[in-house]
Amino acid sequence: MDGNGRWAARRGLPRTAGHTEGEENLAALVRHAVTRDIGWLTVFGFSTENWVRPRTEVRHILGLHKKLFGRVAELNDLNVRIGWMGRPFDSPGARTPKYVQQAIRKAIRDTSHNTGMVFTVAFDYGSRAELVHAAEEARLAGETISESAIWQHLYQPELPPVDVLVRTSGELRISNFMLWQIAGARAYFTDTPWPELSGAELDAALAILDR
Ligand code: FPP
């Protein structure tokens, strides 16, 4: 979800205003995705590298995550099950504050009965850390390191391989996001900043599956 900061700067607003708009747009796109019968939607909300951002910006983004995970009634109306992936809260180096942990746990519990789209937010997430974790878990369980062992020990083993990767705001790079799961995925890169990504453009991204 790139481009919140640039979206705000173009309007003479603080970066935090861009993140607020980004959260609203995310909620709108979740509603849209449900109408398109998407089974799995996964977003990169905050990376293991994002902690170095200015403290006020980090605090603001944490507050937005608390807010998003608090939108349980809306998610239940949509029959959406929310999930989270990231460094386990008790693992060395993990930094998710208690109040965000609580919001995540509650949202997962209170939407666990839903049978529609699974909406996963990556928070305090890094793909390389996830792969190290998966290999380490497999080793501790005495398993032979194999592709299926790695799959089984990813943070969210139930997530299927990615069909379409969407990256906004003109970034033509792959970042530290689901590196294992995106092998073979189609990619849709757009100049549109995240706060302006529309449902119609999400449809265009999905349409590359038919090519
Ligand atoms: C990247 O854009 C965006 C982020 C690091 C944060 C993403 C957060 C949101 C969309 C808000 C809420 C989301 C959730 C899941 C609650 P950037 O800040 O790097 O923007 P820039 O590239 O223009 O500087």
Side-chain angles (χ1 to χ4, degrees), residues 1-8 15 18-24 26 43-47 50 53 57 61-69 119 121-123 169 171 193-194:
M1 299 186 289
D2 268 307
N4 297 337
R6 279 165 282 177
W7 178 91
R15 292 176 57 80
H19 296 310
T20 300
E21 192 70 15
E23 196 263 348
E24 280 306 322
L26 174 58
V43 296
F44 205 174
F46 198 78
S47 75
N50 283 154
R53 292 189 176 211
E57 185 177 346
I61 296 176
L62 295 187
L64 288 172
H65 278 77
K66 181 172 183 284
K67 180 170 169 240
L68 179 79
F69 280 99
F119 169 47
V121 179
F123 179 90
S169 207
E171 301 292 342
W194 172 258

Side-chain angles (χ1 to χ4, degrees), residues 83-145:
W84 160 76
M85 64 179 182
R87 285 188 286 196
F89 299 146
D90 57 357
S91 65
R95 297 192 50 181
T96 307
K98 282 271 172 357
Y99 72 96
V100 178
Q101 293 183 19
Q102 280 161 5
I104 290 173
R105 285 202 188 93
K106 186 172 185 325
I108 291 173
R109 192 179 63 232
D110 294 351
T111 65
S112 62
H113 57 282
N114 291 330
T115 54
M117 186 174 82
V118 177
F119 169 47
T120 307
V121 179
F123 179 90
D124 194 25
Y125 174 85
S127 185
R128 287 179 174 172
E130 178 182 35
L131 290 172
V132 170
H133 167 88
E136 183 62 8
E137 291 286 304
R139 189 184 64 83
L140 287 172
E143 295 167 12
T144 303
I145 305 292

